Amino acid sequence: YLYQISYPEYVNEHTTPLMVRAAPFHDLGKICIPDDILNKEGVLTKEEFSIMQRHPLDGAEFIEKKMKTIGDPELIEIARDMCLCHHEHMDGTGYPNGLKGDEIPQIARLIRVAESYVSLSSKRNYRGALDKESAIQKLKEKPEYYDIAVVECLDAIM
């Protein structure tokens, strides 16, 4: 709700259903990552991480080439932006294109926070799940990564 107030031109009755439909595609490019890298429990090597960094590009390419047949250019654009930019950081140190701040599409900033919150609040092989407050606090501690306006909105609704 607060995000809708902050960005009424973007989060509204028209775009919200498109975002919901596009969200499952944000990690589509991971189908191109070898299983041994994708499922590795330890820290990735430099070479493995380089391969992992391709998944936003691979996913966006797939969306551009294969989804155009669905005939919904807005959905395709949102899905592509989510996929391509969900690992960009607010300070420009993310990947694949090193976008910074407002260069990162709003939808990618939204899915970045949502994906990170889900990851932090879920049990992993290497750590337990964080509670809601701790997960949100971790996000707030990284303004160089996350759009803090989005994190604040998440905090307000949780």
Side-chain angles (χ1 to χ4, degrees):
Y1 174 72
L2 292 175
Y3 198 78
Q4 187 174 6
I5 291 170
S6 300
Y7 301 97
E9 74 286 356
Y10 194 74
V11 179
N12 55 53
E13 291 177 7
H14 176 72
T15 58
T16 300
L18 292 170
M19 288 186 259
V20 170
R21 288 177 55 205
F25 296 106
H26 82 276
D27 263 341
L28 179 65
K30 284 188 175 178
I31 64 173
C32 298
I33 305 296
D35 286 345
D36 60 321
I37 295 173
L38 196 58
N39 299 320
K40 186 173 179 178
E41 291 186 22
V43 177
L44 298 176
T45 67
K46 187 175 181 178
E47 182 180 319
E48 291 168 337
F49 188 64
S50 176
I51 293 167
M52 182 65 85
Q53 286 179 304
R54 287 223 25 95
H55 85 271
L57 295 165
D58 291 337
E61 182 181 345
F62 183 87
I63 288 167
E64 289 172 350
K65 288 182 177 178
K66 302 296 183 186
M67 288 182 67
K68 62 183 169 187
T69 61
I70 66 171
D72 191 337
E74 284 180 291
L75 176 62
I76 293 167
E77 180 181 358
I78 288 173
R80 181 193 172 281
D81 285 351
M82 271 186 186
C83 195
L84 183 62
C85 301
H86 74 280
H87 283 290
E88 299 288 358
H89 297 172
M90 294 302 288
D91 68 358
T93 61
Y95 64 88
N97 296 312
L99 300 179
K100 181 178 184 176
D102 289 339
E103 295 172 345
I104 305 166
Q106 288 177 335
I107 191 61
R109 289 183 261 158
L110 281 166
I111 199 72
R112 170 94 167 127
V113 168
E115 179 181 52
S116 295
Y117 174 79
V118 168
S119 177
L120 290 167
S121 60
S122 300
K123 184 182 180 305
R124 301 289 190 221
N125 290 339
Y126 51 91
R127 66 160 171 77
L130 296 178
D131 60 60
K132 291 178 194 177
E133 295 79 19
S134 298
I136 290 173
Q137 184 57 40
K138 286 272 190 198
L139 297 174
K140 287 181 179 181
E141 291 170 1
K142 296 283 188 177
E144 65 274 20
Y145 288 3
Y146 306 107
D147 183 335
I148 294 303
V150 177
V151 177
E152 292 293 338
C153 291
L154 176 64
D155 190 15
I157 64 169
M158 296 305 287

